[in-house]
Amino acid sequence: MKQKYVRLHVLFAALCLPLLLLAAGAATAATPFGDPGTITEYEIAAPHPEADSTVARVVLTAGTVDAWDGAPGQWLRIETTSYNGGSLRFWLLSAEWPSENLGEARAQVLRYIVQQGDQSPVEYRHAVSKRAVLPSNGAWAYLLPRPAGEDAVALLGHRYARSASSAGSPAAPPADPKLHLLRPDVLTGVPHNTRQADETRRYDDSEYEYIPLVQDDFDTMADTGLNCYRAEPDLVPWYEERGLFYYGGLDLPYPGLLYNPLYLGPGLFLDEPAVVTRDYAIRPRLREDPAFRRDINPQAAMEAFEEHFTKVMTEGAPIQYMKRLADRPDIDTGDMQFLQASLYTWETMVSSAAYQLLYDPVSPGAIVFEPPGHIGVRRTTPAWNMSYGCEIPITGRDHFIDVIIGFVRGAARASDKEWGISIYGSVDHADAGAFISRAYELGATRFFYWDSARLACVPFGEVLDHTRHLTRQATIYPNRDLDRLKHAAEVAILFPAGYNLGHVFMGKGMLWGVSELNLERKNRAGVTYRTVMGNLFTEIERCLRMGIAFDLLWDLPAVRPRGYREVVRIREEGAVEVTVNGVVEVLPGPRTPERAGGAGPGLEIDAPETAQAPAAITVTARVVEGDAPVYYSPIPDLSGVHHNERVLWEVYGPEEEDHFHRVPVIEAGDVTQTGPNTHDVEATLNIEKPGRYRIRAATTDLAGRSAVVWRDLEVQ
């Protein structure tokens, strides 16, 4: 696994303070910046006055000893002057010289105040913890002077030589800075500055008409709790006045843009790297190369993903902040080089979460689950049961989202980063609020909504409703121990890299969302993908039934599970490896938990054994309910109403890479009640190509018990 832009040297500033404040007495625990009033001035060592926004002069002043929220510290004022006369002042109250590592610095810095030019000073403070909110853009290691040889410091990519030392008045914070109380732990927004002219839901997959947001809309959004916005130049003063996070390609004043915690950078997210791999690398090759279609396996898909993600990290969004700065003629960036850390990866194929967050130690800084297509508790969980042979109760709403959270939280824990979820228009409306609540409870820090693109669009009013719900929860339960929540899982379940839950039709049995990787195909160990994924989901079911928190991760070299009571490895040959307290036990299969018992549904199929191509074949399944109702409804109708289809139909063949589960091959037909607990379910199979096919029908009840029936079909 490659890691880019890792700094090759670590500067231990706490050991070198005399180089920064040379006239100071010895730094002590009470005065980590030296004697109050010590002033040290630095001039740039290699001037480039033509890049007139570049800092030419730096002045450090040791300040008064103070305390904040019961913690002691000392003030430090840093003033910069650029060639063009622009100035920046910022004040830190800290117990020690802040670390280059932003996570460590957040624990050290008590207060943070910035003044750009003649503007009023602004203090950035967490609304709950009352501690300083620092810039999260990725440049933190360059924002404070660091030792760079005798009588010199490094700042913003340049070396500055000491020019003078003196004693004066101790630096003190501004008397009455403007205060922004921020919730960076509940970052919430939409990607566009538009809304729908008519917010009526469009279940026919037609497009909405979009109109620009007006100031009243923005005010309503901010009042509701949305705190992250796409930047518009004329709105920047409003973002700054309201204390709202914003992003976009703006040529803001330098170097102030780097010191401003509200400005996140030119972009906000990496857009579905795994899905893009599937659509623009794997699918084209499948169309063009019959041999690849026949021979593809999860490892080949994984190789394509690794290649694409490397390109994303070295040419895409993570480098754009630095690139925009380097392209500006008024800035000389020197040797400053950073990836934008405030980015998150917005990803549907959450199995890839650990790979993405572990690729680089800084960027992306978080993973956000992007819901694929029509997902929901009563849409997707039944499909998992019918596809993988698990028995996850459908009535447990948390069960579905806890599986998703297992991937993103596990990746965040492995990388010491963050995670979140998003809501799309096609998410079951009955589940959306519950998903948001559960994610907040379990430690999510990102909450986003997609606001365009037909069925993917969450209408403006619903975005406001969801955000009110989230804001209310964050207000009532503000104190979350995010580190503890990140490490809440007792069990880590690892499974082979390249295996995943598919894409839009999550749970229908296609790795990477391509029919060529259907569950009936065998892996390199001669075991079907269904067996491997079934073992994974049986172990997931075990944790759900026992009430044990679990994380889910690809079994990668960079994944080193620590702090888990139990580590479970799903192996490609069908075995399950369990490690407890260093003791490894290899089991022949998964540990099936104690289940509900009782009578599950009965299922029979009436289907012909032969047909003549092209053929429109009517097949009928008879579903008999046992002790619980049968329910499966994958998508709503054109009015948004769900109907219980009861049966998941699939057709495999004629080649092993062929798999169908929807129109045009399979058209769902009528559901007819034929008895008190009996229904006949019809489907039409439209077969064009001769060959041997296998029809699979499955049904499941609300307790998770399933029935599966296969039938062979020979098409002449």
Side-chain angles (χ1 to χ4, degrees), residues 377-379 381-383 385-386 392-395 599-604 621-634 642-649 671-673 675-681 697-708:
V377 173
R378 289 182 151 219
R379 297 172 178 174
T381 313
N385 290 330
M386 291 185 284
I392 299 174
I394 300 168
T395 51
L603 181 65
E604 299 176 354
R622 172 154 292 182
V623 179
V624 181
E625 292 182 342
D627 289 337
V630 164
Y631 193 89
Y632 174 55
S633 180
H642 284 82
H643 302 279
N644 189 354
E645 296 185 10
R646 291 178 172 80
V647 174
L648 168 61
W649 296 96
V671 177
T672 305
Q673 185 164 354
N677 297 306
T678 305
H679 291 79
D680 284 357
V681 182
T699 191
T700 191
D701 65 20
L702 295 182
R705 295 169 295 219
S706 300
V708 178

Side-chain angles (χ1 to χ4, degrees), residues 301-599:
M302 185 69 187
E303 289 175 6
F305 172 63
E306 290 176 309
E307 180 179 353
H308 173 70
F309 197 76
T310 296
K311 185 175 182 179
V312 168
M313 292 299 297
T314 56
E315 301 177 19
I319 71 165
Q320 295 309 307
Y321 201 161
M322 193 65 236
K323 185 177 186 301
R324 289 185 66 89
L325 294 177
D327 288 346
R328 282 176 55 170
D330 63 319
I331 301 172
D332 178 7
T333 57
D335 66 3
M336 181 166 61
Q337 191 67 261
F338 65 89
L339 296 179
Q340 185 182 335
S342 50
L343 291 168
Y344 63 82
T345 180
W346 205 338
E347 183 58 84
T348 291
M349 296 188 186
V350 290
S351 305
S352 66
Y355 180 89
Q356 295 193 42
L357 291 194
L358 286 167
Y359 185 93
D360 181 86
V362 172
S363 180
I367 175 91
V368 173
F369 170 58
E370 176 183 330
H374 297 276
I375 69 163
V377 173
R378 289 182 151 219
R379 297 172 178 174
T380 312
T381 313
W384 287 346
N385 290 330
M386 291 185 284
S387 293
Y388 304 134
C390 52
E391 292 189 12
I392 299 174
I394 300 168
T395 51
R397 178 163 278 141
D398 288 346
H399 292 162
F400 171 81
I401 199 63
D402 280 2
V403 174
I404 301 302
I405 289 173
F407 287 105
V408 291
R409 180 184 57 200
R413 175 170 172 169
S415 60
D416 195 23
K417 294 181 178 179
E418 298 180 2
W419 64 275
I421 69 164
S422 61
I423 298 297
Y424 274 48
S426 50
V427 172
D428 191 336
H429 304 170
D431 295 330
F435 291 171
I436 292 170
S437 291
R438 185 65 170 171
Y440 182 84
E441 290 171 0
L442 297 186
T445 62
R446 306 288 194 279
F447 303 85
F448 284 88
Y449 316 94
W450 196 256
D451 58 355
S452 66
R454 306 185 304 278
L455 278 176
C457 175
V458 181
F460 183 73
E462 293 185 29
V463 169
L464 297 180
D465 287 343
H466 289 318
T467 307
R468 289 188 187 99
H469 172 79
L470 174 62
T471 301
R472 187 179 305 113
Q473 187 171 9
T475 301
I476 295 172
Y477 299 101
N479 296 298
R480 297 184 296 167
D481 185 339
L482 293 177
D483 185 68
R484 183 70 185 90
L485 290 172
K486 188 186 298 183
H487 293 80
E490 299 179 49
V491 176
I493 306 176
L494 283 64
F495 65 110
Y499 287 70
N500 60 32
L501 308 185
H503 182 225
V504 172
F505 301 98
M506 181 186 286
K508 299 296 199 308
M510 302 182 297
L511 309 185
W512 293 85
V514 295
S515 63
E516 289 80 1
L517 290 174
N518 64 74
L519 293 181
E520 287 300 295
R521 297 201 70 172
K522 292 182 178 179
N523 63 22
R524 56 191 176 182
V527 176
T528 64
Y529 302 146
R530 191 184 304 278
T531 298
V532 176
M533 294 300 292
N535 291 351
L536 169 65
F537 269 84
T538 300
E539 288 290 334
I540 289 172
E541 179 197 346
R542 175 178 177 273
C543 288
L544 290 171
R545 288 188 177 276
M546 296 178 69
I548 298 172
F550 57 93
D551 287 339
L552 300 164
L553 306 106
W554 271 346
D555 197 356
L556 299 163
V559 172
R560 299 178 179 90
R562 294 185 178 91
Y564 294 97
R565 178 174 54 78
E566 180 178 274
V567 176
V568 180
R569 279 187 164 84
I570 309 299
R571 302 193 343 190
E572 276 202 287
E573 73 272 21
V576 173
E577 176 186 301
V578 180
T579 304
V580 180
N581 296 325
V583 178
V584 179
E585 182 181 9
V586 179
L587 306 174
R591 295 165 295 177
T592 302
E594 183 177 351
R595 291 171 167 168

Side-chain angles (χ1 to χ4, degrees), residues 86-105:
S87 64
L88 175 77
R89 297 180 184 88
F90 63 99
W91 293 259
L92 298 170
L93 177 64
S94 182
E96 54 188 304
W97 193 273
S99 169
E100 288 188 3
N101 180 281
L102 180 59
E104 295 174 2

Side-chain angles (χ1 to χ4, degrees), residues 204-218:
D204 61 353
D205 202 29
S206 62
E207 187 57 280
Y208 294 87
E209 176 189 355
Y210 300 97
I211 57 177
L213 296 172
V214 298
Q215 190 61 55
D216 284 349
D217 295 326
F218 284 110

